[in-house]
Amino acid sequence: MLRKITLLITTLTTAALCTHAKGYLPTVFIDTPGAKAVTSRDVWTDSCAIRVTAADGTVVFSTNTAGIKGRGHSTFAKPKKPLAIRFDERTALLGMGSGKRWVLLADFMDHSRMHNRLALALARQTGLDWTPDCRPVDVVLNGQPQGLYLLAEQVRVARGRVEIDEHEGVLLEMDRYDDGDPRFATTVRRLPVNIKSPSKPSAELIESTREFLDEIERNLYLSSENTRKVCAEYIDAGSFADWWLVHELTQNAEPNGPRSCYMHRDRNGKLKAGPVWDFDLAFIDVGLDAGGDLRPARLGLPGVPLLTADSLYCRRALWFDRLLACPAFIAVVEERWRKLEPKARSLADSIDQWAERMEPSALADDSLWQGQDPARFDTCTTFREAAANLKRTYLRRLDAFGTLLRSLREQVKVKR
């Protein structure tokens, strides 16, 4: 009898999530062999069945040969698990570009479920080479509803994504987490660098990459006159300006860790910033300790400076303490901001549109995971409250940013 009741509840819940009335989303159904649970971030579960249905219930994609595993660091420790998907062939999903690798972001610490989506939409308005596309979806795993996720293109070197030479170009991630990729630290700033691509770089490529980054740091930190040279000869200043603007406008302090800071370079070319990634803890006030770790602002810990909508979040992240002391780089930032501001403001209306369409799924997600998230950073604990707060916070940030940028420029003039 208990088994029958459980099956009935599961069937009714799944039906509720998949009722394609106005406002509901596409659904990703995942079935693992033997309904095996996804418990590892390292081991793929192969031969999984994946079916994607549009909002009207039409099946738009189906396969029985996908691979599934967990993903993320702190986010994988949460009850609602983020997932990675691997296809045998390049696959286009829900109007996004084709690729073999995809991710399902749980957005568990973000009660609006729109932080990542808004930040990525903003980044796509800049001149960055490529920014992952994404779509909100409901997820059902082995017949069990998992709630609202964000289906996104994974950051990888591939056609239509990070387009560099797969053998001689490099995709780097500056991140304090060690994912087992080839890894070293820069000499001056001791930034932890993971080589994400190629997966098995030659010793020569590792060494040349290390030397290149060290040369950038020597010019930035050991000579006060060479920052302009770095902007002209070593880095693509426009991409670094765009990358910084996205993180500042979204109030994302993660680069201070650093965490999820991607850069890429073709062999013997300039270093470009991007793509951007990881905005779970954006759009909120946080404390930032001396080591770059984020602390919940509401705790008011002693000795931890508070960052708010009126603060610069990434003033000293990576190399920006030196870049933002250079008038030439500030000029690039100001030019990019002038072009970006009207596009950034137009995105505020998208928040209302997204929220309206997501609301049924978001409320079902609230009900599914209620009480399991301590809201360690996010003080808004319901979707409606969080969605309204996100728009207010975003607009306030845009209003404040012009003043922040002018103040930064004046500081540079005084120092000169």
Side-chain angles (χ1 to χ4, degrees), residues 160-229:
R161 296 192 178 177
V162 181
E163 292 192 339
I164 57 176
D165 187 288
E166 292 187 53
H167 304 290
E168 294 190 330
V170 289
L171 173 63
L172 308 175
E173 182 188 23
M174 294 184 178
D175 196 311
R176 65 170 52 191
Y177 289 114
D178 185 352
D179 282 333
D181 299 299
R183 183 177 174 88
F184 61 84
T186 59
T187 298
V188 180
R189 287 280 280 134
R190 304 303 300 169
L191 296 174
V193 180
N194 299 301
I195 298 182
K196 307 299 290 185
S197 182
S199 58
K200 295 181 180 179
S202 65
E204 177 189 4
L205 182 59
I206 295 174
E207 187 57 29
S208 65
T209 302
R210 183 204 302 269
E211 290 177 356
F212 181 68
L213 298 183
D214 283 348
E215 191 168 355
I216 289 174
E217 290 195 343
R218 284 194 296 270
N219 277 285
L220 287 174
Y221 292 96
L222 303 184
S223 172
S224 60
E225 305 300 321
N226 285 351
T227 304
R228 184 185 292 269
K229 177 181 178 181

Coordinates of all heavy atoms in Angstrom, one line a residue, residues 160-229:
G160 N 32.0 27.2 -31.9 CA 30.8 27.8 -31.3 C 30.9 28.2 -29.9 O 29.9 28.8 -29.3
R161 N 32.0 27.8 -29.2 CA 32.1 28.1 -27.8 C 33.4 28.9 -27.6 O 33.6 29.9 -28.3 CB 32.0 26.9 -26.9 CG 30.6 26.3 -27.1 CD 30.2 25.2 -26.1 NE 28.8 24.8 -26.3 CZ 28.2 23.8 -25.6 NH1 28.9 23.2 -24.6 NH2 27.0 23.5 -25.8
V162 N 34.4 28.4 -26.8 CA 35.7 29.1 -26.8 C 36.5 28.6 -28.0 O 36.9 27.5 -28.0 CB 36.4 28.8 -25.5 CG1 37.8 29.5 -25.5 CG2 35.6 29.1 -24.3
E163 N 36.6 29.5 -29.0 CA 37.2 29.1 -30.3 C 38.6 29.5 -30.3 O 39.0 30.6 -30.7 CB 36.4 29.7 -31.4 CG 35.0 29.1 -31.6 CD 34.3 29.5 -32.9 OE1 34.7 30.5 -33.5 OE2 33.4 28.8 -33.3
I164 N 39.5 28.6 -29.9 CA 40.9 28.8 -30.0 C 41.5 27.4 -30.5 O 40.8 26.4 -30.5 CB 41.6 29.1 -28.6 CG1 41.3 28.0 -27.6 CG2 41.1 30.5 -28.2 CD1 42.0 28.3 -26.2
D165 N 42.8 27.4 -30.9 CA 43.4 26.2 -31.4 C 43.4 25.2 -30.2 O 43.8 25.4 -29.1 CB 44.8 26.5 -31.8 CG 45.5 25.3 -32.4 OD1 45.8 24.3 -31.7 OD2 45.7 25.4 -33.6
E166 N 42.8 24.0 -30.5 CA 42.6 23.0 -29.5 C 43.9 22.4 -29.0 O 44.0 21.7 -27.9 CB 41.7 21.9 -30.0 CG 40.3 22.3 -30.2 CD 39.4 21.2 -30.6 OE1 39.3 20.2 -29.8 OE2 38.7 21.3 -31.6
H167 N 45.0 22.6 -29.7 CA 46.3 22.0 -29.4 C 47.3 23.0 -28.9 O 48.1 22.7 -27.9 CB 46.9 21.2 -30.6 CG 45.9 20.2 -31.1 ND1 45.6 19.0 -30.4 CD2 45.2 20.2 -32.3 CE1 44.8 18.3 -31.2 NE2 44.5 19.0 -32.3
E168 N 47.3 24.2 -29.4 CA 48.3 25.2 -29.1 C 47.7 26.3 -28.3 O 48.5 27.0 -27.6 CB 49.0 25.7 -30.3 CG 49.9 24.6 -31.0 CD 50.7 25.2 -32.1 OE1 50.3 26.2 -32.7 OE2 51.8 24.6 -32.4
G169 N 46.4 26.6 -28.4 CA 45.8 27.6 -27.6 C 45.6 27.1 -26.1 O 45.6 25.9 -25.9
V170 N 45.3 28.0 -25.2 CA 45.1 27.5 -23.8 C 43.8 28.2 -23.3 O 43.6 29.4 -23.5 CB 46.3 27.8 -22.9 CG1 47.4 26.9 -23.2 CG2 46.7 29.3 -22.9
L171 N 43.0 27.4 -22.6 CA 41.9 28.0 -21.8 C 42.3 27.8 -20.3 O 42.6 26.7 -19.8 CB 40.6 27.2 -22.0 CG 39.4 27.5 -21.1 CD1 39.0 29.0 -21.3 CD2 38.3 26.6 -21.4
L172 N 42.4 28.9 -19.6 CA 42.8 28.9 -18.2 C 41.7 29.3 -17.3 O 40.8 30.0 -17.6 CB 43.9 30.0 -18.0 CG 45.1 29.9 -19.0 CD1 46.0 31.1 -18.7 CD2 45.9 28.6 -18.8
E173 N 41.7 28.7 -16.1 CA 40.8 29.1 -15.0 C 41.6 29.4 -13.8 O 42.3 28.5 -13.3 CB 39.8 27.9 -14.7 CG 38.8 28.3 -13.7 CD 37.9 27.2 -13.2 OE1 38.3 26.0 -13.4 OE2 36.8 27.4 -12.7
M174 N 41.5 30.6 -13.3 CA 42.1 31.0 -12.1 C 41.0 30.7 -11.0 O 40.0 31.4 -10.9 CB 42.5 32.4 -12.1 CG 43.6 32.7 -13.1 SD 44.3 34.4 -13.0 CE 45.6 34.2 -14.3
D175 N 41.3 29.7 -10.1 CA 40.4 29.2 -9.2 C 41.1 28.5 -8.0 O 42.0 27.7 -8.3 CB 39.4 28.2 -9.9 CG 38.2 28.0 -9.0 OD1 38.3 27.7 -7.8 OD2 37.1 28.0 -9.6
R176 N 40.7 28.8 -6.8 CA 41.4 28.2 -5.7 C 41.1 26.7 -5.5 O 41.7 26.0 -4.8 CB 41.1 29.0 -4.4 CG 39.7 28.9 -4.0 CD 39.5 29.5 -2.5 NE 40.1 30.8 -2.4 CZ 40.3 31.5 -1.3 NH1 40.0 30.9 -0.1 NH2 40.9 32.6 -1.2
Y177 N 40.0 26.3 -6.1 CA 39.6 24.9 -6.1 C 40.5 24.1 -7.1 O 40.7 24.5 -8.2 CB 38.2 24.6 -6.5 CG 37.2 25.1 -5.5 CD1 36.3 26.2 -5.7 CD2 37.1 24.5 -4.2 CE1 35.4 26.6 -4.8 CE2 36.2 24.9 -3.3 CZ 35.3 25.9 -3.5 OH 34.4 26.3 -2.6
D178 N 41.0 23.0 -6.6 CA 41.8 22.1 -7.5 C 41.0 21.0 -8.1 O 40.5 20.1 -7.4 CB 43.0 21.5 -6.6 CG 44.0 20.7 -7.5 OD1 43.7 20.5 -8.7 OD2 45.0 20.3 -6.9
D179 N 40.8 21.1 -9.4 CA 40.0 20.1 -10.1 C 40.8 18.9 -10.7 O 40.3 18.1 -11.4 CB 39.1 20.7 -11.2 CG 37.9 21.4 -10.7 OD1 37.4 21.0 -9.6 OD2 37.5 22.4 -11.3
G180 N 42.1 18.9 -10.4 CA 43.0 17.9 -10.9 C 43.5 18.2 -12.3 O 44.3 17.4 -12.8
D181 N 43.3 19.4 -12.8 CA 43.9 19.8 -14.1 C 45.3 20.2 -13.8 O 45.7 20.5 -12.7 CB 43.1 21.0 -14.7 CG 41.6 20.6 -14.9 OD1 41.4 19.7 -15.7 OD2 40.8 21.3 -14.3
P182 N 46.1 20.3 -14.9 CA 47.5 20.8 -14.7 C 47.4 22.2 -14.1 O 46.6 23.0 -14.5 CB 48.0 20.9 -16.2 CG 47.3 19.8 -16.9 CD 45.9 19.8 -16.3
R183 N 48.3 22.4 -13.1 CA 48.1 23.6 -12.2 C 49.4 24.2 -11.7 O 50.4 23.5 -11.5 CB 47.3 23.1 -11.0 CG 46.8 24.1 -10.0 CD 46.0 23.4 -8.9 NE 45.6 24.2 -7.8 CZ 44.6 25.0 -7.7 NH1 43.7 25.0 -8.8 NH2 44.3 25.8 -6.7
F184 N 49.4 25.5 -11.6 CA 50.6 26.2 -11.1 C 50.1 27.5 -10.5 O 48.9 27.9 -10.7 CB 51.7 26.4 -12.1 CG 51.2 27.3 -13.3 CD1 51.3 28.6 -13.3 CD2 50.8 26.6 -14.5 CE1 50.9 29.4 -14.3 CE2 50.4 27.4 -15.6 CZ 50.5 28.8 -15.5
A185 N 51.0 28.2 -9.8 CA 50.6 29.5 -9.2 C 51.6 30.6 -9.8 O 52.7 30.3 -10.1 CB 50.8 29.5 -7.7
T186 N 51.0 31.8 -10.1 CA 51.8 32.8 -10.6 C 52.8 33.3 -9.6 O 52.6 33.1 -8.4 CB 51.0 34.0 -11.1 OG1 50.2 34.5 -10.0 CG2 50.0 33.6 -12.2
T187 N 53.9 33.9 -10.0 CA 55.0 34.2 -9.1 C 54.8 35.4 -8.2 O 55.1 35.3 -7.0 CB 56.3 34.5 -10.0 OG1 56.6 33.4 -10.7 CG2 57.5 34.9 -9.1
V188 N 54.2 36.4 -8.7 CA 54.0 37.6 -7.9 C 52.7 37.6 -7.0 O 52.7 37.7 -5.8 CB 54.0 38.9 -8.7 CG1 53.9 40.2 -7.9 CG2 55.3 39.0 -9.5
R189 N 51.6 37.4 -7.7 CA 50.3 37.4 -7.0 C 49.9 36.0 -6.4 O 48.9 35.9 -5.7 CB 49.2 37.9 -8.0 CG 49.3 39.3 -8.3 CD 48.6 40.2 -7.2 NE 47.2 40.2 -7.3 CZ 46.3 40.0 -6.4 NH1 46.8 39.8 -5.1 NH2 45.0 40.0 -6.5
R190 N 50.6 35.0 -6.8 CA 50.3 33.6 -6.4 C 48.9 33.2 -6.7 O 48.2 32.6 -6.0 CB 50.5 33.5 -4.9 CG 51.9 33.9 -4.4 CD 53.0 33.1 -5.1 NE 52.9 31.6 -4.9 CZ 53.6 30.7 -5.5 NH1 54.5 31.1 -6.5 NH2 53.5 29.5 -5.3
L191 N 48.5 33.6 -7.9 CA 47.1 33.2 -8.4 C 47.2 31.8 -8.8 O 48.0 31.3 -9.6 CB 46.7 34.1 -9.6 CG 46.6 35.6 -9.3 CD1 46.3 36.4 -10.6 CD2 45.5 35.9 -8.3
P192 N 46.2 31.0 -8.4 CA 46.1 29.6 -8.8 C 45.6 29.4 -10.2 O 44.5 29.8 -10.4 CB 45.2 28.9 -7.7 CG 44.3 30.1 -7.3 CD 45.1 31.3 -7.4
V193 N 46.4 28.8 -11.0 CA 46.0 28.7 -12.5 C 45.8 27.2 -12.8 O 46.7 26.4 -12.7 CB 47.1 29.3 -13.4 CG1 46.7 29.2 -14.8 CG2 47.3 30.8 -13.0
N194 N 44.6 26.9 -13.3 CA 44.3 25.6 -13.9 C 44.3 25.7 -15.4 O 43.6 26.6 -15.9 CB 42.9 25.1 -13.4 CG 42.8 25.0 -11.9 OD1 43.6 24.3 -11.3 ND2 41.9 25.7 -11.3
I195 N 45.0 24.8 -16.0 CA 44.9 24.7 -17.5 C 43.7 23.7 -17.8 O 43.8 22.5 -17.7 CB 46.2 24.2 -18.1 CG1 47.4 25.2 -17.8 CG2 46.1 24.0 -19.6 CD1 48.7 24.8 -18.4
K196 N 42.7 24.3 -18.4 CA 41.5 23.5 -18.7 C 41.5 22.9 -20.1 O 40.9 21.9 -20.3 CB 40.2 24.4 -18.6 CG 40.1 25.2 -17.3 CD 39.9 24.3 -16.1 CE 38.6 23.5 -16.0 NZ 38.5 22.7 -14.8
S197 N 42.3 23.6 -21.0 CA 42.4 23.0 -22.3 C 43.7 23.5 -22.9 O 44.1 24.7 -22.7 CB 41.3 23.4 -23.2 OG 41.4 22.9 -24.5
P198 N 44.5 22.6 -23.5 CA 44.2 21.2 -23.8 C 44.3 20.4 -22.5 O 44.9 20.8 -21.5 CB 45.4 20.8 -24.7 CG 46.5 21.8 -24.5 CD 45.8 23.0 -24.1
S199 N 43.6 19.2 -22.5 CA 43.4 18.4 -21.3 C 44.8 17.8 -20.9 O 45.0 17.6 -19.7 CB 42.4 17.3 -21.5 OG 42.8 16.5 -22.6
K200 N 45.7 17.6 -21.9 CA 47.0 17.1 -21.5 C 48.0 17.9 -22.2 O 48.6 17.6 -23.2 CB 47.1 15.6 -22.0 CG 46.2 14.7 -21.3 CD 46.4 13.2 -21.8 CE 45.4 12.3 -21.0 NZ 45.6 10.9 -21.5
P201 N 48.2 19.1 -21.7 CA 49.2 20.1 -22.3 C 50.6 19.5 -22.2 O 51.0 18.9 -21.2 CB 49.0 21.3 -21.5 CG 48.5 20.9 -20.1 CD 47.7 19.7 -20.4
S202 N 51.4 19.9 -23.2 CA 52.8 19.5 -23.1 C 53.5 20.3 -22.0 O 53.1 21.3 -21.6 CB 53.5 19.8 -24.5 OG 53.5 21.2 -24.7
A203 N 54.7 19.8 -21.6 CA 55.5 20.5 -20.6 C 55.9 21.8 -21.1 O 56.0 22.8 -20.4 CB 56.7 19.6 -20.2
E204 N 56.2 21.9 -22.4 CA 56.6 23.1 -23.1 C 55.4 24.2 -23.0 O 55.7 25.4 -22.7 CB 56.9 22.9 -24.5 CG 57.3 24.2 -25.3 CD 57.5 24.0 -26.8 OE1 57.2 22.8 -27.2 OE2 57.8 24.9 -27.5
L205 N 54.2 23.7 -23.3 CA 53.1 24.6 -23.2 C 52.8 25.1 -21.8 O 52.5 26.3 -21.6 CB 51.8 24.0 -23.8 CG 50.6 24.8 -23.9 CD1 50.8 26.1 -24.7 CD2 49.4 24.0 -24.4
I206 N 52.9 24.2 -20.8 CA 52.7 24.7 -19.4 C 53.7 25.7 -19.0 O 53.4 26.7 -18.5 CB 52.8 23.4 -18.5 CG1 51.6 22.5 -18.7 CG2 52.8 23.9 -17.0 CD1 51.7 21.2 -18.0
E207 N 55.0 25.4 -19.4 CA 56.1 26.4 -19.0 C 55.9 27.7 -19.7 O 56.1 28.8 -19.1 CB 57.4 25.7 -19.3 CG 58.6 26.5 -18.8 CD 58.5 26.8 -17.3 OE1 58.0 26.0 -16.6 OE2 59.1 27.9 -16.8
S208 N 55.6 27.7 -21.0 CA 55.5 28.9 -21.8 C 54.3 29.8 -21.2 O 54.3 31.0 -21.2 CB 55.3 28.7 -23.2 OG 54.1 28.0 -23.5
T209 N 53.2 29.1 -20.8 CA 52.1 29.8 -20.2 C 52.4 30.4 -18.9 O 52.1 31.5 -18.6 CB 50.9 28.8 -20.0 OG1 50.5 28.2 -21.3 CG2 49.7 29.5 -19.5
R210 N 53.1 29.6 -18.1 CA 53.6 30.2 -16.8 C 54.5 31.4 -17.0 O 54.3 32.4 -16.3 CB 54.4 29.1 -16.0 CG 54.8 29.5 -14.6 CD 56.0 28.7 -14.2 NE 55.8 27.3 -14.2 CZ 55.3 26.6 -13.1 NH1 55.1 27.3 -12.0 NH2 55.1 25.3 -13.2
E211 N 55.4 31.3 -17.9 CA 56.3 32.4 -18.2 C 55.6 33.6 -18.7 O 55.9 34.8 -18.3 CB 57.4 32.0 -19.2 CG 58.4 31.0 -18.6 CD 59.4 30.5 -19.7 OE1 59.2 30.9 -20.9 OE2 60.3 29.7 -19.3
F212 N 54.6 33.4 -19.5 CA 53.8 34.5 -20.1 C 53.1 35.3 -19.0 O 53.1 36.5 -18.9 CB 52.8 34.0 -21.1 CG 52.0 35.0 -21.8 CD1 52.5 36.0 -22.6 CD2 50.6 35.1 -21.5 CE1 51.7 37.0 -23.2 CE2 49.8 36.0 -22.1 CZ 50.4 37.0 -23.0
L213 N 52.4 34.5 -18.1 CA 51.7 35.1 -17.0 C 52.6 35.8 -16.0 O 52.3 36.9 -15.5 CB 50.8 34.1 -16.2 CG 49.7 33.4 -17.1 CD1 48.9 32.5 -16.2 CD2 48.8 34.4 -17.7
D214 N 53.7 35.2 -15.7 CA 54.7 35.8 -14.8 C 55.3 37.1 -15.4 O 55.5 38.1 -14.7 CB 55.9 34.8 -14.6 CG 55.5 33.8 -13.6 OD1 54.4 33.9 -12.9 OD2 56.2 32.8 -13.4
E215 N 55.4 37.1 -16.7 CA 55.9 38.4 -17.4 C 54.9 39.5 -17.3 O 55.2 40.6 -17.0 CB 56.2 38.1 -18.9 CG 57.0 39.2 -19.5 CD 57.6 38.9 -20.9 OE1 57.5 37.7 -21.3 OE2 58.1 39.8 -21.5
I216 N 53.6 39.1 -17.4 CA 52.6 40.1 -17.2 C 52.6 40.7 -15.8 O 52.6 41.9 -15.5 CB 51.2 39.5 -17.4 CG1 51.0 39.2 -18.9 CG2 50.1 40.4 -16.9 CD1 49.7 38.4 -19.2
E217 N 52.8 39.8 -14.8 CA 52.8 40.2 -13.4 C 54.1 41.1 -13.1 O 54.0 42.0 -12.3 CB 52.8 39.0 -12.4 CG 51.4 38.4 -12.5 CD 51.1 37.5 -11.3 OE1 52.1 37.0 -10.7 OE2 50.0 37.1 -11.0
R218 N 55.2 40.7 -13.6 CA 56.4 41.5 -13.4 C 56.3 42.9 -13.9 O 56.7 43.9 -13.3 CB 57.6 40.8 -14.1 CG 58.2 39.6 -13.3 CD 59.5 39.2 -13.8 NE 59.5 38.7 -15.2 CZ 59.3 37.5 -15.6 NH1 59.1 36.5 -14.7 NH2 59.3 37.1 -16.9
N219 N 55.6 43.0 -15.1 CA 55.4 44.3 -15.7 C 54.4 45.1 -14.9 O 54.5 46.4 -14.7 CB 54.9 44.2 -17.1 CG 56.1 44.0 -18.1 OD1 56.8 45.0 -18.4 ND2 56.3 42.8 -18.6
L220 N 53.4 44.5 -14.3 CA 52.4 45.2 -13.5 C 52.9 45.6 -12.2 O 52.5 46.7 -11.7 CB 51.1 44.3 -13.4 CG 50.3 44.1 -14.7 CD1 49.2 43.1 -14.4 CD2 49.7 45.4 -15.1
Y221 N 53.6 44.7 -11.5 CA 53.9 44.9 -10.1 C 55.3 45.3 -9.7 O 55.5 45.8 -8.6 CB 53.5 43.6 -9.3 CG 52.0 43.4 -9.3 CD1 51.4 42.5 -10.2 CD2 51.2 44.0 -8.4 CE1 50.1 42.3 -10.3 CE2 49.8 43.8 -8.4 CZ 49.3 43.0 -9.4 OH 47.9 42.8 -9.4
L222 N 56.2 45.0 -10.6 CA 57.6 45.4 -10.3 C 58.1 46.6 -11.0 O 59.2 47.1 -10.8 CB 58.5 44.2 -10.7 CG 58.2 42.9 -10.0 CD1 59.2 41.8 -10.4 CD2 58.1 43.0 -8.5
S223 N 57.2 47.2 -11.8 CA 57.5 48.5 -12.4 C 56.2 49.3 -12.6 O 55.3 48.8 -13.3 CB 58.2 48.3 -13.8 OG 58.3 49.5 -14.5
S224 N 56.2 50.4 -12.0 CA 55.0 51.2 -12.0 C 54.7 51.9 -13.4 O 53.7 52.4 -13.6 CB 55.1 52.4 -11.0 OG 56.2 53.2 -11.2
E225 N 55.7 51.8 -14.3 CA 55.6 52.4 -15.6 C 55.1 51.5 -16.7 O 54.8 51.9 -17.8 CB 57.0 53.0 -16.0 CG 57.6 53.9 -15.0 CD 56.7 55.1 -14.8 OE1 56.1 55.6 -15.7 OE2 56.7 55.6 -13.6
N226 N 54.9 50.2 -16.4 CA 54.7 49.3 -17.5 C 53.3 48.8 -17.6 O 53.0 47.9 -18.4 CB 55.6 48.0 -17.3 CG 57.1 48.3 -17.7 OD1 57.3 49.4 -18.2 ND2 57.9 47.4 -17.4
T227 N 52.3 49.3 -16.8 CA 50.9 48.9 -17.0 C 50.4 49.2 -18.3 O 49.7 48.3 -18.9 CB 50.1 49.5 -15.9 OG1 50.6 49.3 -14.6 CG2 48.6 49.0 -16.0
R228 N 50.7 50.3 -18.9 CA 50.3 50.7 -20.2 C 50.8 49.7 -21.3 O 50.1 49.3 -22.2 CB 50.7 52.1 -20.6 CG 50.2 52.6 -22.0 CD 50.7 53.9 -22.3 NE 50.2 55.0 -21.4 CZ 49.1 55.7 -21.7 NH1 48.4 55.4 -22.8 NH2 48.7 56.6 -20.8
K229 N 52.1 49.2 -21.1 CA 52.7 48.3 -21.9 C 51.9 46.9 -21.9 O 51.7 46.3 -22.9 CB 54.1 48.0 -21.5 CG 54.8 47.0 -22.4 CD 56.3 46.8 -21.9 CE 57.0 45.7 -22.7 NZ 58.4 45.4 -22.2

